[in-house]
Amino acid sequence: MKLALAKIKFLEPLMLRGAGEFDPSSRGVYSYASTLHLPRPSTLVGALISSFHPQSGVSVGASFRDILISSYAKALDDLGIEAIRGFHVYSGRDDKYYVPLILGRRRPALINYHEILRNLNMELLDSLLGCLAGGECKRDILERLRDIDSLLARETLTPKIQERVGIALKTRLAEVSSKTVREGYIYTAEYVTYADPTMEVRFSLLLRSSNMKESLIPEGGDLALKLGGEQRIVKLRVEREPDKMMEKLAKLAEEEHKYLLLTTPTPINHEDLEKLKLEYIGRLDIVGLGYSIALRKRKPLYIALLEGTIVKVNRGKIGLDALKYGLYAVLGLHNVDEYRVLGRMGYGTFYPLT
């Protein structure tokens, strides 16, 4: 297997949706679409399949979830991808790497990874978990948190969010050229962009062979990829040269780690979550695998540890399986087919904190 670095450059603002229904009807389910700062793994995998393996498809059967998961596994195999590990933002202007972090926020913020390492030590994280367990923090811990939060705020990357109002049009007939507004269909949508031209959203590809030519995703050149809502265009480039975050991934098995920072969500079924009794600093929420336009059917929803959550682990050294299956391997869930595929798609990616 071979690790490769993939770089995404935004060419226009993108709508990167999370879970939830969006209906352009002002009388519909929800007429406001908010955007995430980073794509979710299902968004990226769907874009790769659409661009490089469009003949793959999903059929409806007795268990849509099982069929969907197996279809994802087959598509990754056909693409020559063992696993995807994402996401972080690289700034070429100051050579900084930004990753999501919650730490008491309502939604993840993109913060300089090396500043996080410098400020969140094991002693502080142990104290924070003790606060969460006991329901109360000592004054000195709160003061340290305020100081750290103030410091990290200066190392936070804030993407530009554009808000636009849209309307729906009636179906255009072949013999009539018109743009007639469809009554009652108005919506507001957010779009995200990185104004600095040196910034890239990056992820790692674990390819099936050391010979990258066996992968269906070409190496070295600039590729156009439709990503996110409304299928807007980004530039994708896959290279052999690693960055510092990919080097961290490659060395996961060499050291012992106690706290891990998730950079993508980790979907877990409720019954497994109850058994694990995880200790974490962050948020549990609902995430979805997207929406099938072809089948007009929403893909499965999961309870998930969100990106930016810090998870405590007690297994000492982390094995090489974590490179392929992420947090699922650390938690011992990667023997279950569903979690193996979710891990391969990029869910459960983490970087070490301590």
Side-chain angles (χ1 to χ4, degrees):
M1 294 184 290
K2 174 71 178 178
L3 269 172
L5 179 65
K7 308 174 181 178
I8 292 175
K9 186 159 287 189
F10 288 27
L11 301 180
E12 55 183 335
L14 302 183
M15 183 197 292
L16 301 173
R17 291 277 292 142
E21 296 179 50
F22 172 59
D23 188 334
S25 169
S26 58
R27 302 181 296 266
V29 181
Y30 196 52
S31 58
Y32 185 91
S34 59
T35 184
L36 303 167
H37 291 169
L38 294 171
R40 293 266 169 84
S42 56
T43 302
L44 175 68
V45 171
L48 294 177
I49 291 172
S50 297
S51 295
F52 303 109
H53 193 34
Q55 65 271 29
S56 64
V58 178
S59 58
V60 178
S63 173
F64 180 51
R65 175 179 294 199
D66 291 345
I67 292 173
L68 182 69
I69 291 295
S70 62
S71 297
Y72 276 130
K74 183 179 185 304
L76 289 172
D77 288 340
D78 292 346
L79 288 168
I81 297 174
E82 283 291 338
I84 296 169
R85 303 263 66 91
F87 295 95
H88 62 275
V89 178
Y90 173 72
S91 171
R93 189 175 301 278
D94 47 18
D95 193 32
K96 291 183 179 179
Y97 297 81
Y98 295 89
V99 294
L101 178 68
I102 294 178
L103 201 65
R105 298 170 178 83
R106 189 178 65 84
R107 60 188 294 179
L110 293 171
I111 298 178
N112 183 353
Y113 175 65
H114 293 95
E115 286 300 319
I116 296 174
L117 291 179
R118 190 173 291 121
N119 287 280
L120 296 183
N121 57 45
M122 194 179 304
E123 178 190 356
L124 177 61
L125 293 173
D126 284 341
S127 299
L128 281 176
L129 278 179
C131 293
L132 293 172
E136 186 177 352
C137 277
K138 293 181 179 179
R139 185 172 180 175
D140 61 322
I141 299 296
L142 291 175
E143 289 176 353
R144 286 180 64 190
L145 277 176
R146 289 191 195 100
D147 292 341
I148 289 171
D149 192 60
S150 177
L151 178 63
L152 292 181
R154 296 196 292 270
E155 292 290 337
T156 298
L157 172 65
T158 305
K160 184 177 180 181
I161 302 294
Q162 296 182 3
E163 194 172 88
R164 302 178 184 179
V165 176
I167 57 175
L169 302 177
K170 290 184 178 179
T171 304
R172 302 177 196 178
L173 300 176
E175 64 275 10
V176 179
S177 178
S178 67
K179 293 184 179 180
T180 307
V181 175
R182 192 174 180 184
E183 185 177 351
Y185 280 75
I186 185 169
Y187 62 93
T188 303
E190 282 184 354
Y191 299 81
V192 62
T193 188
Y194 295 89
D196 188 335
T198 70
M199 287 185 179
E200 301 167 333
V201 173
R202 293 184 172 184
F203 60 95
S204 299
L205 286 170
L206 186 62
L207 300 171
R208 186 167 45 201
S209 170
S210 58
N211 179 5
M212 292 184 63
K213 292 182 179 179
E214 293 190 12
S215 169
L216 293 185
I217 302 176
E219 169 203 356
D222 293 334
L223 309 168
L225 188 70
K226 294 178 180 179
L227 185 67
E230 301 184 0
Q231 296 193 326
R232 291 169 174 253
I233 302 296
V234 299
K235 182 171 71 175
L236 172 68
R237 188 178 185 89
V238 177
E239 297 178 343
R240 290 177 183 264
E241 184 179 353
D243 68 2
K244 292 177 183 177
M245 300 300 285
M246 195 169 86
E247 289 172 351
K248 278 273 185 187
L249 283 176
K251 295 177 180 178
L252 277 178
E254 296 180 8
E255 300 174 354
E256 295 186 1
H257 302 290
K258 186 175 181 180
Y259 286 98
L260 310 173
L261 174 63
L262 294 176
T263 56
T264 62
T266 304
I268 302 178
N269 290 316
H270 182 265
E271 57 273 19
D272 294 318
L273 192 62
E274 289 289 314
K275 293 175 186 175
L276 289 169
K277 300 190 182 301
L278 289 174
E279 294 182 273
Y280 63 91
I281 303 165
R283 281 187 61 198
L284 272 177
D285 207 339
I286 302 296
V287 302
L289 299 189
Y291 185 85
S292 173
I293 296 175
L295 299 177
R296 296 189 176 184
K297 185 179 181 70
R298 184 166 64 180
K299 294 176 183 178
L301 297 175
Y302 289 87
I303 298 171
L305 293 164
L306 290 190
E307 60 269 54
T309 295
I310 299 169
V311 182
K312 181 181 179 181
V313 293
N314 297 300
R315 292 191 57 189
K317 285 195 175 182
I318 294 170
L320 284 173
D321 282 342
L323 186 58
K324 187 171 179 180
Y325 305 115
L327 189 64
Y328 298 111
V330 180
L331 299 178
L333 296 173
H334 61 300
N335 292 323
V336 179
D337 287 343
E338 181 179 20
Y339 294 132
R340 288 172 71 88
V341 178
L342 289 172
R344 289 183 63 193
M345 290 172 64
Y347 287 106
T349 299
F350 62 81
Y351 291 93
L353 288 186
T354 63

